[in-house]
Each structure stands twice: as structure tokens, then as C-alpha cells.
């Protein structure tokens, strides 16, 4: 039950992109086509989950133990940056096919603030998560990111065909669409 | 322009090591320098929050140093800050949370006078909807004033469910915020929890 | 490029938010009021100027392949410094901005300027570039904050200007997207006509 609550809350109610404003750059950057959006989602789910597990353990067994919590930001971002590199190298060796699919998205993830944001949120004392809960939280957040991204990409594909006022074309209408999508997601608040 | 360092393995390791060491040193230094002001800022905030909800008290007896925890259930306890005026206890500020809010947990501070009446309340942190649920804050509306002086021990429990502080929809005495019943219920729930904790002090 | 040019390009021609669409997360996440936007903008400016200066100073000592990790360490250190200072001296603002302070690290604007400008130019120019870009970013955040605050809570820098609550949606997430969209559309229109 507890896990279901975390999952629903992270995917719908507190959606990383539409409610918490994390990961907006890739949200606008790679949402022109559904296909690329799906690829990015795969990469984010992978990195976010592994990053959260690693940073959670680091926080618990290194930063908290030595009372150097102020090193959190610098440690976490380094973990994420090196993890992305590592994933890239391993993927290239183990599964060239998957690397082909996700490869170009991996470097972009380092500066995806959703990854760092979720890692920091998962170790917040007021959440009080244990390792398992953090992992579930990370996976669900990543799925929430993917859901928003894929939905948005679908909308944008259709928008190319629509007759939009000249001044609103391109970026502005994308923002307004995102706003409406966020409005729709607000309907979920209060259920968890 | 001076020539760039080559990307040899040794160079890379040495440079990264030096950069990280310098960064860590600077951070340790800043941390030491700001440690005291940060602790002081947090203390001030706590003091202010306590001062808002209980009657005027003597500062000789520090409510923060005399804080004690009251267990409501296994792994669920609230912090209580007692205050004294002269020799007598004059009030109890209880920091209470509720998970029943519209968007997750929020924290309030509830002040009791020794006779069990609520003196005042104040919201510490919340994520309720701006413009609706956040009207429970004093700065946004005077809704929370109906808790001021609320005589909890003498409230009639109409529906007999043992809960005293409830909104009218639940057969209670509190007017809910329009269009924010969940936030209002949660606020009542936090007060109720604080009151249960308060009753345990007396025993 | 003259020094004045380096400074002013961050405000309009290459404005981080309105033109280059960088640093959107803090832009939308912290601009529920004008004051919050300004605070976030200035914190970012502080980090940007210092990281630009340091990157320009050490650029020749850093081998190309580890350039990005080294820059990230430098930026993360300054972010932590801001975090600690804010916690100590501006605790209220720190609470409002919350998670977005550590997230300055991944603001693409900062790494972008380190990579695109500071690693190729001298210290003085890099400092000016950081200041211009940072203030341009702060300006954008303040404008968005002002718009959202006026429409959403009916006040201007916390001064009530009309009674009532305003259209709440502008303080919430959806309003952030919509307000920014319309501001960019307006700017597009103005710049294309001139």
C-alpha cells in the first residue's frame, strides 16, 4: 500500500516535470517526436534509478557518518556525471543495440536537473525513505517524467499540422501546451 | 595564449585531484564560518514560532532547552516546548504534523494554556494549494482565528467518535475553508494530535 | 567585441531564458513572486560570475578530456557556498527557493557559459560575460515573477495592488508555463517588427 502511494504520488500528483518543474530542458528539447521521447525516457529511468540508489547509500554511509552533509551537492553531481559516463561505456560493450538507441541521450542526462533533484529529494529527512522506498520513488519519478514527455511529444507532433497564429508558432505555443498539460495533471492532486 | 595541458592520464588525474582538493578545502572553510550563523538562524526561527502561539513567558526558562518528546504511537512522537511565567508552567507549544493534507504532510505549531485551551496556532510549513488551502495561514486569511482560545476540553463530541476538533461537515465545531475541506480537516487533525499529546503531559 | 557588447548581450540578444531557453527549471519553479524570482536570479548571477572567473583563470591548466568534470566541481563548490551563506543570512529566502538552490549546479546556463565563453576568453571578459548573462537571467526571472504575481495574487513585490486573490492558476505550475509562453510570443513580435 505504501509503495502504491509513493508510485501514484510520484507519477501523477507530484509529477517531476509538470508539478515540480524539474527536467524542463529535455522536456522541451527532445519532445519534437514521440520516438526520441521514448528513447530519452528509457535512458532517464535507468540513470535516475541507479543514481538514486548510489547517492542514497553515499548519503547514509558516508556523508551522514562523517557529518559532511554540506558536501551533498558536489558529491551527488559527481556521482551522476561519472555514472552517465560509466553507463555509456558499459552499454557500448554489452549491448550495442541499446547503445545505438539511447547513446545520444546519455550525455544530456548529466544536466537533467530531474536526476539530481530526485536524488536530493529521496534523502530528505522529511520524506524518511529507506533504500527500497527511495528506489521505488526514483523509478516512479522517472516514469512520471517519461509519461509527461511522451504525452507532450504526441501533442507537439499534431501541432505541426495545426494553424497557429504567427507570433505563437514554435516555442510560445509549446509552453502554453505544456501549461494546459500541467493543468490537466492538477486534476490528480488530492488523490494520494 | 599559453599552451593547453595535454590530456595524458597523469595530467588528468592530477588536475582533477587538485581541483577537488581545493574545492573541498574552501567548502570546509565556508562551512566552519557559517556553522554558527546557520544554527542561530534556525534557533531564532524556532523561538519566534513558539512565541507566536503561547502567552508571554519568562525567557530565563528556555523552552527549547527543555523540549521533550511525547509519543503518540510507535514511531510517532511530537515535540513539546514548555514555557514558564514565574514558577508556574504558563504554556505548552506543541509542534504537530498531519499527513492528511491535500498535498502531503504539513506542520503546525499549537500553543496550549495549562487549562487545555488552545492559545494560538501557527503554520510552520505546508504545500497546500495557494489561494485555497493556504488560507489556513494567518497572513492569508483570518480563518485560523477560530482556533484562538478554543476550549477543547469542553467541546461536545456530538457524533461520539472521540474526536473533538472537527469541521462542521464531520459533526464538529469548526467552519471549513470554502473549497478547501481537505486542508481544513487536516489542520483540525493536526490540532487534535497536538491535544492528545497535551493530555499526555498532564498525566 | 567591445566590453559593453559582452555585457549587454545577455539582456536581450542572447537572453538566457527568453532567447536561448536555458535554465528553465529554476525560471518556472521559483517565480511565483517577483521577489523570489529576483532572489534566485541574483544567486545564479553570483555563481555564474565566480565560476566564469575561476574557469577563465585555470582554463590552461585543465586537460581537455576532464574539462567538464572539473568545471562541474568548480560550479558545485560555488553553489554550496551560496547555499551555506543563504542558510545563514537569508533563511526565509532559502526556505522558499528550497531544492532549486542545489539545482543551480545543473542550470545549463552556467556550464554553458563556462564551456562556450570562459574557457576561451580572458578573466576580465569572462567576469563581464558572467555578470551580463546573470543579470539578464535575473531580469527575466523578475519579469516573469512580476507577471505571475500580479495576475496570480494581485500584488507587486508583495504590495497589494488590487483586492482579491487574482487568477490563482498563475501562481501554480500551469500558469508558469502559460505566462512564459506569452511573454516569449510578445518578445518575438516586438523584436521582429523593429
Amino acid at each position: 500500500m505504501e509503495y502504491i502511494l509513493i508510485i501514484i504520488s510520484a507519477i501523477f500528483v507530484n509529477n517531476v516535470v509538470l508539478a515540480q518543474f524539474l527536467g524542463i530542458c529535455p522536456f522541451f528539447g527532445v519532445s519534437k517526436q514521440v520516438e526520441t521521447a521514448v528513447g530519452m525516457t528509457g535512458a532517464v529511468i535507468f540513470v535516475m534509478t541507479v543514481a538514486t540508489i548510489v547517492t542514497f547509500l553515499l548519503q547514509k554511509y558516508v556523508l551522514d557518518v562523517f557529518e559532511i552533509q554540506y558536501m551533498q551537492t558536489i558529491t551527488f553531481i559527481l556521482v551522476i556525471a561519472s555514472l552517465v559516463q560509466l553507463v555509456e561505456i558499459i552499454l557500448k560493450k554489452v549491448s550495442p543495440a541499446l547503445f545505438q538507441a539511447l547513446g545520444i541521450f546519455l550525455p544530456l542526462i548529466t544536466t537533467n536537473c530531474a536526476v539530481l533533484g530526485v536524488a536530493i529529494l529521496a534523502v530528505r529527512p522529511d520524506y524518511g525513505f529507506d533504500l527500497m522506498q527511495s528506489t521505488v520513488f526514483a523509478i516512479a519519478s522517472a516514469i512520471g517524467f517519461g509519461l509527461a514527455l511522451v504525452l507532450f511529444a504526441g501533442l507537439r507532433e499534431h501541432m505541426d499540422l495545426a494553424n497557429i497564429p504567427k507570433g505563437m508558432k514554435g516555442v510560445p505555443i509549446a509552453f502554453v501546451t505544456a501549461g494546459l498539460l500541467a493543468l490537466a495533471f492538477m486534476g490528480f492532486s488530492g488523490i494520494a | 595564449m599559453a599552451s593547453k595541458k595535454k590530456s595524458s592520464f597523469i595530467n588528468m588525474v592530477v588536475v582533477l585531484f587538485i581541483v577537488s582538493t581545493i574545492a573541498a578545502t574552501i567548502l570546509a572553510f565556508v562551512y566552519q564560518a557559517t556553522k554558527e550563523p546557520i544554527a542561530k538562524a534556525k534557533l531564532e526561527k524556532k523561538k519566534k514560532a513558539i512565541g507566536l502561539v503561547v502567552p508571554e513567558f519568562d525567557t530565563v526558562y528556555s523552552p527549547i532547552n527543555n523540549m521533550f518528546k511525547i509519543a503518540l504511537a510507535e514511531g510517532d512522537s511530537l515535540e513539546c516546548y514548555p514555557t514558564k511565567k514565574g514558577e508556574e508552567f504558563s504554556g505548552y507549544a506543541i509542534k504537530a504534523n498531519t499527513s492528511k493534507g491535500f498535498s502531503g504532510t504539513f506542520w503546525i505549531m499549537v500553543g496550549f494554556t495549562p487549562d487545555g485551551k488552545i492559545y494560538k496556532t501557527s503554520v510552520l510549513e505546508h504545500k497546500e494549494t495557494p489561494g485555497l488551502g493556504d488560507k489556513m495561514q494567518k497572513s492569508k486569511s483570518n480563518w485560523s482565528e477560530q482556533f484562538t482560545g478554543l476550549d477543547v476540553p469542553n467541546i461536545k463530541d456530538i457524533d461520539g467518535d472521540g474526536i473533538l476538533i472537527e469541521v462542521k461537515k464531520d459533526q464538529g465545531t469548526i467552519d471549513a475553508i470554502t473549497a478547501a475541506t481537505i486542508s481544513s480537516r487536516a489542520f483540525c487533525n493536526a490540532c487534535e494530535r497536538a491535544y492528545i499529546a497535551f493530555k499526555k503531559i498532564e498525566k | 567585441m567591445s566590453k559593453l557588447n559582452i555585457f549587454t548581450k545577455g539582456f536581450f540578444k542572447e537572453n538566457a531564458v527568453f532567447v536561448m531557453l536555458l535554465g528553465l527549471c529554476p525560471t518556472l519553479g521559483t517565480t511565483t513572486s517577483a521577489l523570489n524570482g529576483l532572489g534566485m536570479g541574483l544567486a545564479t548571477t553570483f555563481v555564474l560570475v565566480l565560476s566564469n572567473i575561476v574557469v577563465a583563470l585555470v582554463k590552461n591548466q585543465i586537460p581537455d578530456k576532464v574539462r567538464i568534470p572539473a568545471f562541474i566541481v568548480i560550479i558545485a563548490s560555488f553553489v554550496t557556498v551560496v547555499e551555506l551563506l543563504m542558510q545563514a543570512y537569508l533563511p526565509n529566502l532559502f526556505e522558499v527557493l528550497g531544492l532549486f538552490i542545489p539545482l543551480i549546479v545543473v542550470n545549463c546556463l552556467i556550464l554553458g557559459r563556462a564551456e562556450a565563453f570562459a574557457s576561451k576568453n580572458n578573466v576580465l571578459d569572462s567576469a563581464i560575460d558572467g555578470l551580463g548573462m546573470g543579470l539578464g537571467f535575473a531580469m527575466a526571472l523578475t519579469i516573469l515573477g512580476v507577471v505571475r504575481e500580479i495576475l496570480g495574487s494581485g500584488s507587486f513585490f508583495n504590495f497589494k495592488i488590487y483586492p482579491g486573490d487574482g487568477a490563482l492558476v498563475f501562481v501554480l505550475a500551469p500558469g508558469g508555463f502559460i505566462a512564459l509562453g506569452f511573454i516569449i510570443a510578445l518578445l518575438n513580435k516586438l523584436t521582429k517588427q523593429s
Side-chain angles (χ1 to χ4, degrees):
Chain A
M1 187 58 214
E2 200 183 345
Y3 290 120
I4 295 173
L5 213 65
I6 293 177
I7 292 170
I8 291 181
S9 156
I11 296 181
F12 297 110
V13 184
N14 292 314
N15 185 287
V16 268
V17 181
L18 297 171
Q20 313 225 48
F21 290 128
L22 297 176
I24 307 273
C25 293
F27 182 65
F28 282 101
V30 294
S31 59
K32 291 215 172 89
Q33 281 172 339
V34 174
E35 209 175 309
T36 45
V38 172
M40 183 69 177
T41 305
V44 167
I45 292 179
F46 196 71
V47 173
M48 200 184 267
T49 312
V50 182
T52 304
I53 295 173
V54 174
T55 52
F56 184 89
L57 294 172
L58 267 178
Q59 174 83 21
K60 198 126 209 181
Y61 296 106
V62 180
L63 297 185
D64 283 353
V65 174
F66 295 103
E67 289 184 357
I68 44 170
Q69 282 95 342
Y70 61 93
M71 296 291 281
Q72 191 192 53
T73 314
I74 206 167
T75 322
F76 281 21
I77 188 68
L78 278 181
V79 167
I80 293 168
S82 28
L83 205 67
V84 171
Q85 291 270 309
L86 205 68
V87 169
E88 219 176 323
I89 296 168
I90 294 175
L91 222 53
K92 218 185 224 166
K93 284 253 159 68
V94 179
S95 165
L98 199 61
F99 179 77
Q100 279 270 305
L102 301 183
I104 45 164
F105 303 110
L106 285 170
L108 284 173
I109 291 180
T110 314
T111 50
N112 180 343
C113 54
V115 178
L116 181 62
V118 168
I120 294 178
L121 282 176
V123 296
R124 282 220 165 164
D126 50 332
Y127 278 54
F129 283 163
D130 58 25
L131 181 60
M132 196 59 214
Q133 284 167 323
S134 300
T135 313
V136 172
F137 175 68
I139 297 173
S141 296
I143 293 174
F145 172 82
L147 180 69
L149 188 63
V150 173
L151 281 177
F152 189 53
L155 289 172
R156 280 185 90 172
E157 275 187 0
H158 283 275
M159 229 147 51
D160 285 343
L161 310 169
N163 190 10
I164 296 158
K166 215 164 133 207
M168 292 296 288
K169 259 199 183 122
V171 180
I173 193 71
F175 273 106
V176 175
T177 313
L180 295 176
L181 197 57
L183 206 56
F185 266 70
M186 268 182 71
F188 289 117
S189 55
I191 59 171
Chain B
M1 207 166 126
S3 64
K4 280 219 164 193
K5 275 246 162 71
K6 288 234 172 63
S7 296
S8 70
F9 184 73
I10 301 272
N11 266 348
M12 293 199 291
V13 174
V14 169
V15 165
L16 273 191
F17 181 75
I18 293 174
V19 169
S20 312
T21 316
I22 294 175
T25 320
I26 293 174
L27 283 188
F29 177 74
V30 175
Y31 173 69
Q32 285 302 332
T34 52
K35 207 169 164 186
E36 234 169 83
I38 289 177
K40 221 169 133 191
K42 280 189 180 152
L43 197 70
E44 279 305 312
K45 209 186 133 207
K46 228 175 212 176
K47 266 191 197 158
K48 218 177 124 200
I50 295 169
L52 278 177
V53 298
V54 291
E56 210 185 315
F57 57 92
D58 294 338
T59 44
V60 192
Y61 179 82
S62 158
I64 291 168
N65 293 342
N66 287 292
M67 186 273 285
F68 55 89
K69 288 198 167 178
I70 307 163
L72 291 182
E74 186 69 40
D76 179 18
S77 63
L78 302 181
E79 289 174 1
C80 175
Y81 302 89
T83 59
K84 270 186 175 175
K85 181 95 182 163
E87 281 303 297
E88 294 287 306
F89 281 105
S90 60
Y92 301 89
I94 295 176
K95 189 180 164 191
N97 64 337
T98 175
S99 53
K100 299 200 166 142
F102 194 63
S103 336
T105 304
F106 66 74
W107 291 88
I108 63 172
M109 190 74 105
V110 188
F112 289 96
T113 45
D115 56 1
K117 281 185 189 168
I118 290 179
Y119 188 74
K120 271 177 187 162
T121 59
S122 134
V123 177
L124 296 176
E125 62 183 74
H126 77 94
K127 297 184 213 111
E128 301 304 288
T129 320
L132 297 171
D134 75 343
K135 284 192 178 141
M136 63 191 186
Q137 286 171 294
K138 278 209 175 59
S139 54
K140 298 278 157 72
S141 87
N142 56 7
W143 177 77
S144 63
E145 266 169 30
Q146 51 181 323
F147 290 88
T148 305
L150 190 69
D151 190 358
V152 192
N154 291 319
I155 294 177
K156 253 194 215 143
D157 185 9
I158 302 168
D159 52 359
D161 57 0
I163 303 168
L164 295 173
I165 308 171
E166 280 182 297
V167 293
K168 284 184 175 156
K169 265 189 193 166
D170 303 334
Q171 316 295 324
T173 53
I174 305 293
D175 286 307
I177 303 170
T178 315
T181 312
I182 296 181
S183 301
S184 315
R185 270 189 187 134
F187 194 94
C188 290
N189 175 256
C191 288
E192 180 78 26
R193 282 164 54 80
Y195 181 66
I196 296 170
F198 169 78
K199 272 201 302 197
K200 290 198 173 174
I201 308 173
E202 289 180 308
K203 277 175 196 166
Chain C
M1 217 187 321
S2 75
K3 303 254 180 289
L4 191 68
N5 254 336
I6 297 176
F7 181 68
T8 52
K9 72 180 184 315
F11 288 88
F12 298 103
K13 222 172 85 205
E14 290 180 27
N15 186 288
V17 177
F18 296 143
V19 182
M20 315 224 297
L21 302 180
L22 291 174
L24 291 177
C25 305
T27 302
L28 291 162
T30 62
T31 52
T32 49
S33 77
L35 218 52
N36 294 348
L38 185 63
M40 185 67 202
L42 292 182
T44 311
T45 307
F46 178 82
V47 175
L48 186 55
V49 171
L50 289 177
S51 74
N52 258 7
I53 291 176
V54 173
V55 167
L57 273 174
V58 301
K59 61 175 186 276
N60 288 330
Q61 313 305 322
I62 295 177
D64 254 352
K65 272 195 185 151
V66 290
R67 159 180 107 247
I68 301 287
F71 291 170
I72 289 180
V73 173
I74 293 169
I75 295 169
S77 318
F78 285 122
V79 170
T80 312
V81 170
V82 170
E83 205 178 339
L84 290 169
L85 287 176
M86 222 175 208
Q87 230 174 328
Y89 302 108
L90 297 165
N92 290 332
L93 188 62
F94 178 78
E95 225 158 83
V96 177
L97 300 180
L99 181 63
F100 285 99
I101 296 291
L103 289 184
I104 296 177
V105 181
V106 278
N107 188 327
C108 352
L109 170 64
I110 296 177
L111 192 60
R113 288 329 282 175
E115 171 79 1
F117 196 94
S119 66
K120 297 188 187 90
N121 289 281
N122 65 34
V123 178
L124 183 62
D125 282 354
S126 302
I128 297 174
D129 173 76
L131 193 65
M133 277 290 171
L135 290 178
F137 182 69
M139 178 190 79
L141 261 65
T142 314
I143 291 176
L144 187 58
V146 166
V147 171
R148 288 179 70 185
E149 196 183 339
I150 290 180
L151 295 175
S153 20
S155 51
F156 177 73
F157 281 96
N158 294 339
F159 291 112
K160 206 83 187 144
I161 50 171
Y162 62 84
D165 284 332
L168 283 170
V169 71
F170 281 100
V171 182
L172 303 173
F177 285 111
I178 294 172
L180 184 55
F182 278 106
I183 291 176
I184 293 177
L186 187 70
L187 285 180
N188 279 351
K189 181 126 183 104
L190 291 178
T191 47
K192 263 169 204 152
Q193 268 175 357
S194 59

